[in-house]
Amino acid sequence: MTYASIMVAVDPGAEARDRVRLAGHLADDFRARLIGVAAEEASYAVPPIGPVPASAYALAANSELILNDLKRAHAVFEEAAGTRSRVEWRSNLDFPLPFLIGQAAAADLVVVGRKPASGPLLCSVDPGDLVMHLGRPVLVVPPGLDHLDVRRVAVGWKNTREARRAVRDALPFLTRASRVVVVSIDDGESADDTADVVGFLQAHDIEATAIRTETGGSATSLALVDAAAEQAADLIVTGAYGHGRLREWVFGGVTRDLLAGAPVCCLMSH
């Protein structure tokens, strides 16, 4: 299995350049085409005011500003993509999330950045919103990372639909990894049996082993990150929002914590 088409969300921010470089290296590894995507809704900053002519002028001026932002995002993409031949750019005056979702029919994998801590960024998408609606695996890249060599992978395992789908979606990475560890977290309830998922991976000629770890009073997400660090994993694979996003928003949860602060890339599916 492979990824034949990798899509990356681009914005004019400083972190986008590293993200595109990382996506470009993955495209090289999988011999995939690289698609950059950016969008921004034209009326986000200047609402229509006054008589109709003034309103029309305000919207036209605002549209020009957004088009300039999209041109900047395109320039970031072109610079970071370099001289690769199988490259495509898609942009539009639109809301970023629905535009990216619509374009994702062309992609096997979508690469995004972490949600900005300082508030919305031009052309940016919330990875939590994206993974809920995309129907594709989402690779969330932490800041400052411009390359991903998937040598060791930690699979955060709970026998849910989301986790089963994430393992399936991650097979192109898992088949290339030198070590895959399935991590089952005992959070006070019975930890999930890992025999079947390890057997599934081994049937795909993936050398997989399993470990079981306890939370020790810490959050499940922290226990998973600690286990990944102990295994020197450079990628975490996990299902997203297995308990529903509203419950995680109210009570906290693994997906929310990983999206906010995982130190390595996370591949997530819902």
Side-chain angles (χ1 to χ4, degrees), residues 157-169 238-244 268-270:
W157 180 250
K158 194 172 183 64
N159 194 9
T160 63
R161 175 182 68 87
E162 294 80 12
R164 293 190 293 270
R165 182 170 183 176
V167 169
R168 176 71 180 179
D169 287 343
T238 183
Y241 296 118
H243 294 294
M268 296 183 173
S269 296
H270 177 73

Side-chain angles (χ1 to χ4, degrees), residues 141-209:
V141 180
L145 195 64
D146 67 357
H147 200 89
L148 175 59
D149 290 321
V150 182
R151 296 187 178 94
R152 298 191 173 205
V153 180
V155 177
W157 180 250
K158 194 172 183 64
N159 194 9
T160 63
R161 175 182 68 87
E162 294 80 12
R164 293 190 293 270
R165 182 170 183 176
V167 169
R168 176 71 180 179
D169 287 343
L171 281 177
F173 282 128
L174 300 177
T175 56
R176 290 167 173 259
S178 60
R179 178 172 173 79
V180 176
V181 179
V182 179
V183 182
S184 178
I185 306 294
D186 186 351
D187 55 2
E189 305 173 359
S190 58
D192 282 274
D193 186 4
T194 57
D196 281 340
V197 67
V198 169
F200 169 82
L201 293 171
Q202 291 175 346
H204 284 272
D205 296 322
I206 297 168
E207 293 296 326
T209 58

Side-chain angles (χ1 to χ4, degrees), residues 241-263:
Y241 296 118
H243 294 294
R245 195 175 186 193
L246 178 61
R247 184 181 184 275
E248 288 213 4
W249 181 75
V250 175
F251 299 106
V254 176
T255 306
R256 189 191 68 178
D257 292 344
L258 290 176
L259 288 174

Side-chain angles (χ1 to χ4, degrees), residues 68-248:
N68 288 334
D69 290 330
L70 293 177
K71 289 178 182 177
R72 288 168 51 213
H74 189 190
V76 168
F77 176 74
E78 284 189 322
E79 178 188 343
T83 58
R84 293 177 176 89
S85 58
R86 299 183 62 197
V87 169
E88 183 179 339
W89 175 252
R90 302 183 180 192
S91 65
N92 199 11
L93 294 174
D94 198 352
F95 289 101
L97 181 64
F99 182 73
L100 180 50
I101 290 172
Q103 302 306 306
D108 294 303
L109 176 70
V110 176
V111 181
V112 299
R114 187 178 293 168
K115 183 179 179 180
S118 58
L121 181 69
L122 290 173
C123 308
S124 68
V125 295
D126 184 329
D129 289 337
L130 190 65
V131 74
M132 283 290 292
H133 301 289
L134 192 66
R136 292 285 191 271
V138 176
L139 183 69
V140 184
V141 180
L145 195 64
D146 67 357
H147 200 89
L148 175 59
D149 290 321
V150 182
R151 296 187 178 94
R152 298 191 173 205
V153 180
V155 177
W157 180 250
K158 194 172 183 64
N159 194 9
T160 63
R161 175 182 68 87
E162 294 80 12
R164 293 190 293 270
R165 182 170 183 176
V167 169
R168 176 71 180 179
D169 287 343
L171 281 177
F173 282 128
L174 300 177
T175 56
R176 290 167 173 259
S178 60
R179 178 172 173 79
V180 176
V181 179
V182 179
V183 182
S184 178
I185 306 294
D186 186 351
D187 55 2
E189 305 173 359
S190 58
D192 282 274
D193 186 4
T194 57
D196 281 340
V197 67
V198 169
F200 169 82
L201 293 171
Q202 291 175 346
H204 284 272
D205 296 322
I206 297 168
E207 293 296 326
T209 58
I211 61 172
R212 177 172 173 169
T213 185
E214 298 181 355
T215 58
S218 61
T220 301
S221 56
L222 182 58
L224 175 57
V225 169
D226 287 346
E230 290 174 2
Q231 300 297 322
D234 41 32
L235 176 67
I236 294 174
V237 173
T238 183
Y241 296 118
H243 294 294
R245 195 175 186 193
L246 178 61
R247 184 181 184 275
E248 288 213 4

